[in-house]
């Protein structure tokens, strides 16, 4: 099984599993209620990851408007305050994932289907080089890449590969050379989080859904397991930890399970489960905010039984793991980024391609939404009984 990207990964898994509906009793805010905290631009055809780069006053958005083999793609640079376009960076390979080396001014774009990274000068938008990671297998198909993380201290780059057995690459950012390749990492290796020191967390499926690696050598340290999938039954995985976010100081790993539509919280000291938070069908991305002690989770609102739903962004209080609010961001809020102040959240928002979906309209393109979390917090507090 080979997956394309965050969205493709989750939608593929939804064909096999049903997720619970948004938990009863969760208060939902409609667009008119959170509009004072929001700015939205519809300017990203086939949008995927978003990335905040505050030193440039910008947010970057990956764009894949054409899935034809050999088609080009784009990275859009937007003003972080207004979302006004600054520039469009065209790439010869389609970008899905994004990461930045802040100290060295390097923007990495993951060319998922081509198994490679495009390296870009973040300030100027100039393409610098290509780093080929994936290899063509016996079946003639390229190994795909997925998530990217950067060690800001050393410039090392970490990349997951969602193959049947999973791959993790470690790259020397200065030379572009692969210093470590971990095969048989975790089934469908997808989610990725770096603790800023020496540990790399990888999320996937199978009996041991979380793998912990030495961030320098790529050697296995330990695994975390829910215990809900029997060894050797990866094709019947009870869970799929598609995206991760880390509270390194607090010893917590936040993992989105796209199978159940839940947010799992693991204790990084021993792998025990601290909490499970119901989110909704098609749960996708998570980002933890240390300054507000909140987690934000996107979900699509569709699964194998629900084809015409819409999703939202769920705000979780990570002091007690209660859901504070769900924001009805239509139609499919996808990927998240947080600015360094912890007061601004960015999300890419996709439009339905299925012409049977009630929100489908020919010619619509994806969006980026900016949420002022301080204003949003005040709005939520005003609605609390």
């Amino acid at each position: 099984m080979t997956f394309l990207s965050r969205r493709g990964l989750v939608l593929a898994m939804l064909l096999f599993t049903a997720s619970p509906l948004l938990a009863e009793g969760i208060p939902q805010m409609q667009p008119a209620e959170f509009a004072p905290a929001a700015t939205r631009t519809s300017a990203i055809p086939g949008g995927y990851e978003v990335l905040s780069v505050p030193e440039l006053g910008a947010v970057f958005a990956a764009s894949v408007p054409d899935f034809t083999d050999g088609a080009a793609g784009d990275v859009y640079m937007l003003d972080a305050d207004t979302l006004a376009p600054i520039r469009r960076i065209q790439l010869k390979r389609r970008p899905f994932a994004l990461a930045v080396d802040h100290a060295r001014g390097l923007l990495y774009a993951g060319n998922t289907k081509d198994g490679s990274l495009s390296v870009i000068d973040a300030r100027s938008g100039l393409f610098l080089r290509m780093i080929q990671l994936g290899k063509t297998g016996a079946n003639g198909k390229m190994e795909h890449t997925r998530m990217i993380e950067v060690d800001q201290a050393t410039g090392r780059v970490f990349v997951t590969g969602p193959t049947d057995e999973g791959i993790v690459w470690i790259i020397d950012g200065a030379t572009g050379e692969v210093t470590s390749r971990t095969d048989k990492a975790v089934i469908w290796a997808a989610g990725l989080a770096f603790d800023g020191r020496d540990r790399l967390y990888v999320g996937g499926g199978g009996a041991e859904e979380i793998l912990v690696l030495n961030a320098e050598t790529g050697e296995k340290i330990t695994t975390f397991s829910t215990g809900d999938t029997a060894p050797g039954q990866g094709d019947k995985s009870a869970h799929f930890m598609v995206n991760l976010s880390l509270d390194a100081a607090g010893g917590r790993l936040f993992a989105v399970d796209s199978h159940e539509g839940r947010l799992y919280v693991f204790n990084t000291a021993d792998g025990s489960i601290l909490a499970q938070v119901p989110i909704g069908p098609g749960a996708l991305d998570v980002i933890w905010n240390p300054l507000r002690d909140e987690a934000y989770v996107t979900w699509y609102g569709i699964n194998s039984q629900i084809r015409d739903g819409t999703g939202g962004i769920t705000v979780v209080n990570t002091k007690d793991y209660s859901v504070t609010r769900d924001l009805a961001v239509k139609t499919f809020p996808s990927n998240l980024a947080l600015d360094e102040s912890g007061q601004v959240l960015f999300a890419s928002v996709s439009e339905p391609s299925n012409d049977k979906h009630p929100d489908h309209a020919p010619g619509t393109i994806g969006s980026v939404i900016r949420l002022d979390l301080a204003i949003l917090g005040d709005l939520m507090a005003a609605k609390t009984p």
Side-chain angles (χ1 to χ4, degrees), residues 264-314:
Y264 277 75
V265 187
F266 291 92
N267 182 335
T268 59
D270 59 12
S272 60
I273 297 172
L274 299 174
Q276 299 180 42
V277 184
I279 299 297
L284 179 56
D285 201 11
V286 59
I287 193 163
W288 179 67
N289 186 344
L291 294 172
R292 300 181 66 89
D293 213 346
E294 293 177 333
Y296 315 102
V297 187
T298 57
W299 57 288
Y300 267 31
I302 58 174
N303 59 27
S304 56
Q305 283 77 45
I306 305 169
R307 298 290 187 170
D308 58 356
T310 62
I313 300 176
T314 299

Side-chain angles (χ1 to χ4, degrees), residues 20 226 239-246 252-266 273-280 282-289 294-299 314-318 320-323 336:
T226 62
H239 308 286
F240 178 41
M241 305 304 176
V242 64
N243 283 306
L244 309 178
S245 188
L246 184 64
R252 297 183 295 178
L253 180 69
F254 300 89
V256 174
D257 176 15
S258 68
H259 275 196
E260 285 194 332
R262 288 176 178 266
L263 176 67
Y264 277 75
V265 187
F266 291 92
I273 297 172
L274 299 174
Q276 299 180 42
V277 184
I279 299 297
L284 179 56
D285 201 11
V286 59
I287 193 163
W288 179 67
N289 186 344
E294 293 177 333
Y296 315 102
V297 187
T298 57
W299 57 288
T314 299
V315 182
V316 180
N317 179 334
T318 51
D320 60 9
Y321 306 113
S322 62
V323 172
L336 297 168

